[in-house]
């Protein structure tokens, strides 16, 4: 006589599989805020890399230090003015602290795009809603991941500035470096000397990225 599963046994197996699936599937869902933090962390490291391989020292230029590579978080200049960020070297003219198209880093995975999620600029090609937008939409973390705010800990922010720069040794610097008077003046020193915490929020949860002083090592904490 051949053995076979009874209908009750089949129903029991299906129920068990359903319970296991209900437990496993939620853990495999992506977390947009965490994804945003991973992307920002990667681009902080990229900004530091650019600063270290592109030393801005120029003995003929008294303002060479204002041209260091930096990451600026700002509203995108598009509908909703949600948060994005831009990686740039302030090397044009008098170094205004605001990115121009030619100052923005090229996207290493697509040289036709710039590393900006959109900024409020007179140049319409830097506004994410404009058809001529030259940036990278993923860097608009408000639209891409639902990030509603970005905040810096007080020890790495100057006058509410949401930006981080790096010197040629990869050391993190705070604030708008276009307002600096000397590269390492004791008065108004801009080197980050304690952990810099950058908090991304979606209005419900937070993720913190920490940049260490001196080394500039960054991680999600």
């Amino acid at each position: 006589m051949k053995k076979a599963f009874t209908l009750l046994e089949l129903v029991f197996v299906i129920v068990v599989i359903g319970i296991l699936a209900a437990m496993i599937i939620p853990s495999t869902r992506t977390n947009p805020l965490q994804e945003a933090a991973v992307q920002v962390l990667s681009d902080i490291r990229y900004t530091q890399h650019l600063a270290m391989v592109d030393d801005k020292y120029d003995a003929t230029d008294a303002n060479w230090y204002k041209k260091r590579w930096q990451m600026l978080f700002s509203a995108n200049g598009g509908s909703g003015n949600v948060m994005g960020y831009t990686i740039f070297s302030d090397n044009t003219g008098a170094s205004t602290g605001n990115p121009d198209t030619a100052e923005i880093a090229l996207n290493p995975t697509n040289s036709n795009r710039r590393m900006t999620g959109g900024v409020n600029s007179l140049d319409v090609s830097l506004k994410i809603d404009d058809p001529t937008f030259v940036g990278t939409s993923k860097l608009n973390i408000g639209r891409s991941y639902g990030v509603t705010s970005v905040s810096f800990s007080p020890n790495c922010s100057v006058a509410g500035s949401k930006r981080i720069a790096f010197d040629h040794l990869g050391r993190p610097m705070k604030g708008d470096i276009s307002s600096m008077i000397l590269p390492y003046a004791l008065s108004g020193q801009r080197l980050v000397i304690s952990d810099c915490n950058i908090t991304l929020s979606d209005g419900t949860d937070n993720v913190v990225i920490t940049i260490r002083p001196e080394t500039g090592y960054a991680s999600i904490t």
Side-chain angles (χ1 to χ4, degrees):
M1 178 177 163
K2 293 183 179 180
K3 293 184 177 180
F5 290 110
T6 66
L7 180 60
L8 182 60
E9 289 172 327
L10 288 174
V11 170
F12 178 75
V13 169
I14 292 172
V15 170
V16 170
I17 291 174
I19 293 173
L20 291 174
M23 295 171 62
I24 294 171
I25 289 177
S27 67
T28 62
R29 292 175 182 166
T30 59
N31 182 327
L33 188 60
Q34 191 73 21
E35 288 182 2
V38 170
Q39 177 183 296
V40 171
L41 174 62
S42 175
D43 287 337
I44 287 173
R45 291 173 176 168
Y46 181 53
T47 306
Q48 183 187 38
H49 165 76
L50 289 174
M52 295 175 71
V53 300
D54 185 21
D55 185 358
K56 295 299 183 180
Y57 178 73
D58 181 355
T60 65
D61 182 2
N63 292 318
W64 62 269
Y65 55 89
K66 297 182 179 183
K67 300 176 181 180
R68 291 178 171 129
W69 286 97
Q70 60 188 289
M71 177 187 283
L72 166 67
F73 291 85
S74 63
N76 61 44
S79 59
N81 266 348
V82 292
M83 187 63 66
Y85 61 89
T86 301
I87 298 172
F88 74 107
S89 168
D90 200 5
N91 56 25
T92 301
S95 297
T96 63
N98 299 311
D100 297 326
T101 303
E103 298 175 330
I104 300 172
L106 292 175
N107 187 324
T109 63
N110 182 354
S111 60
N112 293 318
R113 313 302 297 180
R114 298 277 177 174
M115 291 294 284
T116 179
V119 293
N120 199 351
S121 169
L122 294 177
D123 184 349
V124 295
S125 69
L126 296 181
K127 295 184 177 183
I128 195 169
D129 289 331
D130 196 89
T132 63
F133 181 58
V134 297
T136 304
S137 297
K138 272 288 186 180
L139 272 60
N140 190 295
I141 52 177
R143 293 190 180 186
S144 299
Y145 302 106
V147 174
T148 56
S149 68
V150 175
S151 60
F152 280 56
S153 53
N155 56 299
C156 63
S157 180
V158 177
S161 177
K162 297 178 181 179
R163 65 177 83 203
I164 193 81
F166 295 91
D167 69 4
H168 68 290
L169 297 176
R171 295 181 295 184
M173 305 189 76
K174 58 187 176 181
D176 183 352
I177 56 178
S178 70
S179 62
M180 291 176 64
I181 299 174
L182 292 171
Y184 294 108
L186 291 178
S187 58
Q189 175 63 272
R190 295 294 179 82
L191 280 174
V192 172
I193 59 175
S194 58
D195 285 357
C196 173
N197 293 322
I198 302 175
T199 303
L200 310 184
S201 175
D202 62 4
T204 301
D205 296 318
N206 299 322
V207 176
V208 178
I209 298 171
T210 299
I211 304 175
R212 274 72 180 186
E214 196 61 31
T215 63
Y217 177 75
S219 63
I220 297 173
T221 56

